[in-house]
Amino acid sequence: MDNNIHFIICIETLLRAVRAASNAGELVMRLSKKNLGRGSQPVPCLTLDMDLQTDGGIAKIVHDIPIKMLNRSSFGAFVEPRFPTAKVEIYMPPLKTFRAVTDRLRNVSPQIMLRANMRGELHISAADVSVRAEISFEGLATAQPQDREVNPEDSVSVKVDLKKLARVLYGDRMQSTDCIACFHEDEAVALHFLQDSLFTSYYVPLASLAA
């Protein structure tokens, strides 16, 4: 913990700066203090330095993004949760398709049941007193954990709140190419959004644990 620096940053501002660096050879990130306004006091910033190739040569671009430093007493709220090893790890269907499915099921119930197995099958269902709807996907790729042997018969069923799941699905700002769902039985569903060498992880509590 002594070697960690924690801070809060506006994700929209960071994403705009990173997109501007998409054609850069490399991107250097560093913490700094900058005067961002006339007569203002220096404020902590995450500074992004990049070199962009233009018709006239190389242009040096610097982005200074204000950040809010966190004190040590606040660190605990930002520690990644720890769960037992996921029983099932599976690549989700295309995100656009998965969002459309969950949107339709919101008309049936505020919660959905997810059933997945290591054979690459995912079943999504919702029910109320008068109707039940289920949509199935087969042939999905499965992740291959390095710390254990994969049993194709491993399966898991979890119930999640659709509002919480929707916030995650529509909160992905990276235009991710893949999403891996890790089912931690009796704990949570972890969704890992992948884009090239970057990934963002979200942890959706199970409905029975969400209160």
Side-chain angles (χ1 to χ4, degrees):
M1 187 68 72
D2 291 341
N3 295 325
N4 293 335
I5 298 175
H6 290 231
F7 57 85
I8 296 174
I9 191 169
C10 174
I11 189 65
E12 294 290 347
T13 305
L14 177 60
L15 284 174
R16 286 198 299 268
V18 171
R19 290 191 187 107
S22 59
N23 295 322
E26 64 178 11
L27 172 67
V28 177
M29 306 175 69
R30 55 189 172 86
L31 295 176
S32 63
K33 279 193 173 184
K34 296 292 184 70
N35 288 310
L36 300 182
R38 182 175 298 177
S40 66
Q41 296 295 319
V43 297
C45 293
L46 179 67
T47 296
L48 281 61
D49 296 303
M50 64 197 81
D51 294 331
L52 295 179
Q53 185 68 46
T54 66
D55 294 338
I58 296 178
K60 186 172 183 62
I61 308 295
V62 178
H63 288 277
D64 294 314
I65 306 173
I67 60 176
K68 178 183 179 182
M69 304 301 297
L70 296 176
N71 56 42
R72 188 179 300 275
S73 62
S74 303
F75 287 2
F78 296 90
V79 174
E80 184 176 358
R82 296 184 178 274
F83 299 118
T85 301
K87 190 173 183 180
V88 172
E89 300 180 32
I90 190 170
Y91 281 82
M92 298 296 282
L95 289 177
K96 184 177 181 180
T97 302
F98 190 54
R99 291 188 189 107
V101 168
T102 56
D103 284 346
R104 286 181 175 274
L105 292 180
R106 289 175 70 176
N107 297 322
V108 178
S109 172
Q111 299 177 343
I112 60 171
M113 181 71 72
L114 300 174
R115 293 185 291 115
N117 57 53
M118 292 301 288
R119 295 191 301 273
E121 299 172 348
L122 174 66
H123 307 276
I124 309 166
S125 60
D128 65 7
V129 295
S130 60
V131 65
R132 183 178 187 278
E134 179 170 319
I135 299 173
S136 299
F137 297 90
E138 298 180 352
L140 301 175
T142 56
Q144 302 297 319
Q146 298 181 352
D147 57 348
R148 64 183 178 89
E149 292 187 5
V150 174
N151 182 352
E153 298 305 314
D154 281 346
S155 62
V156 66
S157 297
V158 299
K159 183 182 289 186
V160 297
D161 183 90
L162 267 174
K163 286 186 178 180
K164 291 182 171 62
L165 181 61
R167 284 203 295 268
V168 171
L169 295 178
Y170 285 96
D172 172 39
R173 303 294 186 183
M174 296 196 310
Q175 298 180 341
S176 304
T177 53
D178 284 304
C179 176
I180 299 177
C182 297
F183 293 83
H184 302 273
E185 199 169 25
D186 301 326
E187 295 285 352
V189 177
L191 297 177
H192 305 287
F193 292 88
L194 314 177
Q195 184 188 44
D196 298 327
S197 58
L198 301 176
F199 72 91
T200 305
S201 299
Y202 296 87
Y203 298 89
V204 183
L206 305 189
S208 59
L209 304 175

